[in-house]
Amino acid sequence: MSRPRSRGLTVRKRPLIVLSTVAAATLLLAGCSGSSAPSSSGTPDPSASSTCALDAQPGVTSDAVVVEGEGADTKVTVPSDAAFAGVERTVVSAGDGDDVLVNDLVSVQYQIVDATTNEVLDSSARGEGGVLPVLLDTNQSSLFVAALECEPVGSRVVLSLPGSALGEGANNVVVYAQAVEQLPEIATGTPVDPTPGMPTVTLDEDGKPSIKIPEGDAPTETKVAVLTQGDGPTVGAGDLVVVQYLGVKWSDGEEFDSSWSRDAAPAQFQTTGVVAGFQKALEGQKVGSQVIVVMPPSDGYGASEGHELQKESLVFVVDILATTPVQQ
């Protein structure tokens, strides 16, 4: 089934998977599920959160991978004669947390290993504490969806992927991964006094925001205010971010896009892949923060001839949940 296109947060280019060395893995679940290509917004499919997208089973190859040590000292060795007959998953040790589901946001300790050379192509070692945040979005992070879905938090898993599942010319790959903990899906920082002249934001008991537009004309330049101050990592230029957001038009307060309206399934994209005003709202902010941004058409869709929001000043409230530098 085709996923809905995000009207207000349309990216200028398709977001990149964190793991550029195995970007072809985004084909894995699409091929298994029969879904059409995702929209350029990278909008997750909320309906997938209650089921297993692939539910890969153990096999001869995944069982044969040797995992020694734990945490940062983990060493993964792939036998030279491994068959790689299909996508296989073996649980090295079971965790005791809740089951991990599609659209969950989790911190992950992982290694991705070239099965031919045993070279580590990418790992979470570059993250704080040796872990990185991952949104289990079938559009962009299907590699981790296949590895972690439907297993308890804390489980240590080996996923073996034949090159044929990753795209033409790709090598066989082994993923070792552990979902360390579930991460919050709303801003968790300290409330900040409202900024005069900015729209007013109220939250319901689940953290879902609503926006009241003040009287008067919209600002002629983009303005950003912090509503809740987080204390996590700072979002850098070009980072891959995970957010919850609500967008409304200044002219009438009408909602035109919202992750909250898609069962509060967080969205993931690069900061350089969205409209300029949204990028300005994110970069330099800390994870755990909630911010509000008001942008004129020039920082929204003013240059998009014929776009339904071309002449609109826009307001977004954004909960910043995670950030990861994109591997070059």
Side-chain angles (χ1 to χ4, degrees), residues 31-48:
C32 293
S33 66
S35 298
S36 62
S39 73
S40 61
S41 67
T43 301
D45 181 3
S47 66

PDB file of all heavy atoms in Angstrom, residues 31-48:
ATOM      1  N   GLY A  31      10.840  -4.834  -0.704  1.00  0.00           N
ATOM      2  CA  GLY A  31      10.740  -5.996  -1.567  1.00  0.00           C
ATOM      3  C   GLY A  31       9.939  -7.108  -0.933  1.00  0.00           C
ATOM      4  O   GLY A  31       9.190  -7.814  -1.598  1.00  0.00           O
ATOM      5  N   CYS A  32      10.065  -7.279   0.380  1.00  0.00           N
ATOM      6  CA  CYS A  32       9.356  -8.355   1.064  1.00  0.00           C
ATOM      7  C   CYS A  32       7.893  -8.028   1.288  1.00  0.00           C
ATOM      8  O   CYS A  32       7.050  -8.908   1.322  1.00  0.00           O
ATOM      9  CB  CYS A  32      10.023  -8.636   2.409  1.00  0.00           C
ATOM     10  SG  CYS A  32      11.680  -9.335   2.256  1.00  0.00           S
ATOM     11  N   SER A  33       7.581  -6.728   1.464  1.00  0.00           N
ATOM     12  CA  SER A  33       6.210  -6.365   1.809  1.00  0.00           C
ATOM     13  C   SER A  33       5.342  -6.072   0.598  1.00  0.00           C
ATOM     14  O   SER A  33       4.134  -6.010   0.708  1.00  0.00           O
ATOM     15  CB  SER A  33       6.221  -5.114   2.704  1.00  0.00           C
ATOM     16  OG  SER A  33       6.691  -3.999   1.979  1.00  0.00           O
ATOM     17  N   GLY A  34       5.967  -5.835  -0.547  1.00  0.00           N
ATOM     18  CA  GLY A  34       5.212  -5.499  -1.735  1.00  0.00           C
ATOM     19  C   GLY A  34       4.775  -4.060  -1.788  1.00  0.00           C
ATOM     20  O   GLY A  34       3.951  -3.687  -2.611  1.00  0.00           O
ATOM     21  N   SER A  35       5.327  -3.206  -0.905  1.00  0.00           N
ATOM     22  CA  SER A  35       4.935  -1.800  -0.890  1.00  0.00           C
ATOM     23  C   SER A  35       5.541  -1.064  -2.064  1.00  0.00           C
ATOM     24  O   SER A  35       6.591  -1.432  -2.576  1.00  0.00           O
ATOM     25  CB  SER A  35       5.408  -1.140   0.409  1.00  0.00           C
ATOM     26  OG  SER A  35       4.795  -1.744   1.526  1.00  0.00           O
ATOM     27  N   SER A  36       4.900   0.008  -2.494  1.00  0.00           N
ATOM     28  CA  SER A  36       5.479   0.867  -3.503  1.00  0.00           C
ATOM     29  C   SER A  36       6.535   1.738  -2.866  1.00  0.00           C
ATOM     30  O   SER A  36       6.698   1.760  -1.656  1.00  0.00           O
ATOM     31  CB  SER A  36       4.385   1.733  -4.138  1.00  0.00           C
ATOM     32  OG  SER A  36       3.800   2.562  -3.158  1.00  0.00           O
ATOM     33  N   ALA A  37       7.269   2.500  -3.681  1.00  0.00           N
ATOM     34  CA  ALA A  37       8.338   3.352  -3.156  1.00  0.00           C
ATOM     35  C   ALA A  37       7.764   4.369  -2.189  1.00  0.00           C
ATOM     36  O   ALA A  37       6.675   4.901  -2.398  1.00  0.00           O
ATOM     37  CB  ALA A  37       9.037   4.062  -4.303  1.00  0.00           C
ATOM     38  N   PRO A  38       8.479   4.644  -1.087  1.00  0.00           N
ATOM     39  CA  PRO A  38       7.971   5.610  -0.120  1.00  0.00           C
ATOM     40  C   PRO A  38       7.973   7.015  -0.683  1.00  0.00           C
ATOM     41  O   PRO A  38       8.716   7.328  -1.602  1.00  0.00           O
ATOM     42  CB  PRO A  38       8.958   5.489   1.050  1.00  0.00           C
ATOM     43  CG  PRO A  38      10.223   4.998   0.415  1.00  0.00           C
ATOM     44  CD  PRO A  38       9.771   4.099  -0.711  1.00  0.00           C
ATOM     45  N   SER A  39       7.141   7.877  -0.095  1.00  0.00           N
ATOM     46  CA  SER A  39       7.127   9.274  -0.504  1.00  0.00           C
ATOM     47  C   SER A  39       8.423   9.935  -0.096  1.00  0.00           C
ATOM     48  O   SER A  39       9.144   9.474   0.775  1.00  0.00           O
ATOM     49  CB  SER A  39       5.951  10.001   0.149  1.00  0.00           C
ATOM     50  OG  SER A  39       6.206  10.195   1.521  1.00  0.00           O
ATOM     51  N   SER A  40       8.711  11.070  -0.710  1.00  0.00           N
ATOM     52  CA  SER A  40       9.965  11.754  -0.431  1.00  0.00           C
ATOM     53  C   SER A  40      10.023  12.296   0.983  1.00  0.00           C
ATOM     54  O   SER A  40      11.078  12.663   1.460  1.00  0.00           O
ATOM     55  CB  SER A  40      10.156  12.911  -1.418  1.00  0.00           C
ATOM     56  OG  SER A  40       9.122  13.862  -1.294  1.00  0.00           O
ATOM     57  N   SER A  41       8.914  12.352   1.674  1.00  0.00           N
ATOM     58  CA  SER A  41       8.911  12.863   3.040  1.00  0.00           C
ATOM     59  C   SER A  41       9.468  11.874   4.027  1.00  0.00           C
ATOM     60  O   SER A  41       9.782  12.224   5.153  1.00  0.00           O
ATOM     61  CB  SER A  41       7.484  13.220   3.460  1.00  0.00           C
ATOM     62  OG  SER A  41       6.699  12.063   3.541  1.00  0.00           O
ATOM     63  N   GLY A  42       9.578  10.597   3.653  1.00  0.00           N
ATOM     64  CA  GLY A  42      10.029   9.598   4.593  1.00  0.00           C
ATOM     65  C   GLY A  42       9.022   9.359   5.699  1.00  0.00           C
ATOM     66  O   GLY A  42       9.364   8.896   6.780  1.00  0.00           O
ATOM     67  N   THR A  43       7.735   9.626   5.450  1.00  0.00           N
ATOM     68  CA  THR A  43       6.711   9.467   6.457  1.00  0.00           C
ATOM     69  C   THR A  43       6.517   7.997   6.791  1.00  0.00           C
ATOM     70  O   THR A  43       6.300   7.188   5.903  1.00  0.00           O
ATOM     71  CB  THR A  43       5.377  10.037   5.955  1.00  0.00           C
ATOM     72  OG1 THR A  43       5.556  11.413   5.648  1.00  0.00           O
ATOM     73  CG2 THR A  43       4.295   9.882   7.005  1.00  0.00           C
ATOM     74  N   PRO A  44       6.617   7.620   8.071  1.00  0.00           N
ATOM     75  CA  PRO A  44       6.442   6.222   8.432  1.00  0.00           C
ATOM     76  C   PRO A  44       5.002   5.786   8.288  1.00  0.00           C
ATOM     77  O   PRO A  44       4.091   6.601   8.251  1.00  0.00           O
ATOM     78  CB  PRO A  44       6.891   6.188   9.901  1.00  0.00           C
ATOM     79  CG  PRO A  44       6.627   7.569  10.402  1.00  0.00           C
ATOM     80  CD  PRO A  44       6.886   8.480   9.221  1.00  0.00           C
ATOM     81  N   ASP A  45       4.795   4.480   8.217  1.00  0.00           N
ATOM     82  CA  ASP A  45       3.465   3.906   8.107  1.00  0.00           C
ATOM     83  C   ASP A  45       3.017   3.458   9.493  1.00  0.00           C
ATOM     84  O   ASP A  45       3.481   2.441   9.992  1.00  0.00           O
ATOM     85  CB  ASP A  45       3.508   2.713   7.148  1.00  0.00           C
ATOM     86  CG  ASP A  45       2.153   2.063   6.965  1.00  0.00           C
ATOM     87  OD1 ASP A  45       1.177   2.576   7.541  1.00  0.00           O
ATOM     88  OD2 ASP A  45       2.078   1.048   6.253  1.00  0.00           O
ATOM     89  N   PRO A  46       2.133   4.217  10.160  1.00  0.00           N
ATOM     90  CA  PRO A  46       1.739   3.869  11.521  1.00  0.00           C
ATOM     91  C   PRO A  46       1.114   2.491  11.629  1.00  0.00           C
ATOM     92  O   PRO A  46       1.218   1.844  12.663  1.00  0.00           O
ATOM     93  CB  PRO A  46       0.729   4.957  11.900  1.00  0.00           C
ATOM     94  CG  PRO A  46       0.991   6.077  10.955  1.00  0.00           C
ATOM     95  CD  PRO A  46       1.459   5.426   9.687  1.00  0.00           C
ATOM     96  N   SER A  47       0.435   2.012  10.578  1.00  0.00           N
ATOM     97  CA  SER A  47      -0.249   0.733  10.648  1.00  0.00           C
ATOM     98  C   SER A  47       0.702  -0.429  10.820  1.00  0.00           C
ATOM     99  O   SER A  47       0.313  -1.520  11.221  1.00  0.00           O
ATOM    100  CB  SER A  47      -1.092   0.519   9.380  1.00  0.00           C
ATOM    101  OG  SER A  47      -0.259   0.401   8.243  1.00  0.00           O
ATOM    102  N   ALA A  48       2.000  -0.201  10.500  1.00  0.00           N
ATOM    103  CA  ALA A  48       2.975  -1.284  10.591  1.00  0.00           C
ATOM    104  C   ALA A  48       3.460  -1.515  12.015  1.00  0.00           C
ATOM    105  O   ALA A  48       4.131  -2.510  12.282  1.00  0.00           O
ATOM    106  CB  ALA A  48       4.170  -0.984   9.684  1.00  0.00           C
TER     107      ALA A  48
END
